[in-house]
Amino acid sequence: MTQYLEFEKPLAEIEGKAEELRAVARENTEMDIEKEAAALDKKAHDLLESLYADLTPWRKCLVARHPERPHCKDYIEALFTEYTPLAGDRNFADDHAVMGGIARLDGKPVMVIGHEKGNDTKSRIERNFGMARPEGYRKAIRLMDLANRFGLPVITLVDTPGAYPGKGAEERGQSEAIARATEKCLELGVPLISVIIGEGGSGGAVAFASANRVAMLEHSIYSVISPEGCASILWKDAEKMREAAEALRLTAQNLNELGVCDTIIPEPRGGAHRDIPAAIENVGKALIAALNDLEGKSADEVRADRRKKYLSLGEKGLAA
């Protein structure tokens, strides 16, 4: 059963009525309600088109956080072959909020790394809701080093509210681990391609997304802080999150204007969770296109390409 977001309540009522009609028809085969159900389907389709035609930044936040949205594990299982998971930071522990390993994309060997939020209560607790601890970032650094040594392009799938802010994480050097992961992204001699598949929150996302090419799903978000956190700091009121979302310019469309996001990947109408196979297919096409664009570049050329991207950030927005 689809979980509806706050602004989708009118849609839930229409789709619910259509399903009720069909349930009655299944019990009483003599009733012909297909015409009425089809009319409701069309009404629901038109309303969905209208709702998603021009989403506000806050509504995009809600869609990006939808619990049924495909996560890192879903993309790896659907897009990559011969995936061999690699675990642990060889220092403290294995952080289940970060998964990664060697795989093939379109037949080409790559290293894939991503945040995994989990899809039910048990897995979300195990994955810490996608909030990595220092050992998660150190695992990512280890995998990036391995990829660099063997000339494997690195693909990162970003979906995190932010790095875990707990006491233990701070004691084990959370900020240092994030900084080292960001540094490793920038010094790699192999192509690094990042896709924001849901939330790209704070330094926890930057540590995976300081890439040659950054793509964002149409309704994903990428920001230095969550709208709720920003509202709490600026206005001392988390309920002003809608205003904060507007001010943060955190949507794919905003960030494409500024040059932070290179590619906006279209989502099925109603969000990636309404047609998961189509959303995953679109991400796969974008990844293959980015890999082909960077193929054949030397290590120095790859680093120069990445350096140019980050030194020119904001120029597009200033010119506009």
Side-chain angles (χ1 to χ4, degrees):
M1 184 179 290
T2 303
Q3 291 189 41
Y4 293 92
L5 298 170
E6 157 198 316
F7 66 91
E8 294 177 322
K9 285 179 181 176
L11 180 65
E13 291 176 13
I14 297 169
E15 291 187 339
K17 285 175 184 174
E19 183 52 39
E20 282 174 19
L21 276 176
R22 291 193 170 96
V24 169
R26 283 193 292 269
E27 292 176 5
N28 187 345
T29 54
E30 294 178 3
M31 291 183 66
D32 182 14
I33 52 81
E34 194 49 45
K35 191 177 289 185
E36 291 86 345
L40 286 171
D41 287 341
K42 185 180 185 312
K43 189 175 180 183
H45 176 270
D46 292 345
L47 180 56
L48 187 67
E49 289 279 343
S50 173
L51 286 172
Y52 279 80
D54 189 22
L55 288 177
T56 64
W58 173 245
R59 287 184 174 181
K60 281 187 179 284
C61 291
L62 297 177
V63 178
R65 296 168 177 172
H66 197 288
E68 294 173 359
R69 196 173 177 86
H71 296 138
C72 177
K73 190 168 181 286
D74 302 308
Y75 286 97
I76 289 176
E77 289 175 352
L79 292 176
F80 298 86
T81 57
E82 299 180 39
Y83 173 65
T84 304
L86 300 171
D89 67 346
R90 300 296 186 267
N91 183 40
F92 182 77
D94 183 35
D95 185 352
H96 296 291
V98 174
M99 62 185 298
I102 298 170
R104 289 184 184 273
L105 176 67
D106 196 33
K108 298 174 183 176
V110 298
M111 181 70 77
V112 57
I113 306 166
H115 301 97
E116 173 56 41
K117 286 183 170 181
N119 56 11
D120 57 27
T121 302
K122 183 180 177 182
S123 62
R124 283 169 188 150
I125 291 170
E126 179 191 357
R127 303 285 186 177
N128 201 33
F129 300 87
M131 295 185 290
R133 297 175 171 89
E135 43 274 20
Y137 294 105
R138 291 178 180 133
K139 171 163 67 173
I141 292 168
R142 183 173 75 82
L143 299 191
M144 286 187 222
D145 270 331
L146 188 64
N148 204 41
R149 191 181 312 155
F150 291 101
L152 302 177
V154 178
I155 292 169
T156 60
L157 302 172
V158 179
D159 189 15
T160 179
Y164 184 61
K167 181 174 180 283
E170 294 297 333
E171 288 173 344
R172 294 193 300 279
Q174 182 72 291
S175 58
E176 184 267 349
I178 291 170
R180 294 287 183 191
T182 307
E183 179 185 42
K184 183 58 63 179
C185 287
L186 294 171
E187 70 182 24
L188 284 176
V190 293
L192 172 56
I193 300 158
S194 244
V195 182
I196 315 295
I197 57 175
E199 287 184 275
S202 193
V206 173
F208 280 20
S210 298
N212 292 83
R213 301 289 183 272
V214 177
M216 293 180 68
L217 277 166
E218 183 182 356
H219 303 312
S220 63
I221 58 171
Y222 189 18
S223 175
V224 69
I225 192 172
S226 70
E228 297 91 335
C230 176
S232 295
I233 292 169
L234 292 184
W235 292 290
K236 312 298 182 190
D237 181 4
E239 290 303 310
K240 288 190 177 287
M241 65 273 191
R242 292 169 182 79
E243 293 90 331
E246 291 278 353
L248 283 167
R249 301 190 72 185
L250 43 62
T251 69
Q253 294 73 21
N254 293 148
L255 294 167
N256 184 246
E257 289 173 8
L258 293 170
V260 175
C261 164
D262 302 294
T263 305
I264 299 174
I265 303 171
E267 294 189 30
R269 185 65 73 197
H273 58 281
R274 281 193 167 255
D275 190 346
I276 290 174
I280 291 175
E281 183 182 353
N282 289 346
V283 168
K285 288 176 181 175
L287 285 172
I288 291 167
L291 278 176
N292 291 340
D293 184 43
L294 294 165
E295 192 173 20
K297 289 184 182 290
S298 69
D300 286 341
E301 287 172 331
V302 166
R303 292 189 191 99
D305 176 274
R306 200 180 296 126
R307 178 181 173 83
K308 181 181 177 183
K309 172 180 172 61
Y310 289 99
L311 288 179
S312 63
L313 280 184
E315 284 182 1
K316 287 172 71 176
L318 290 171

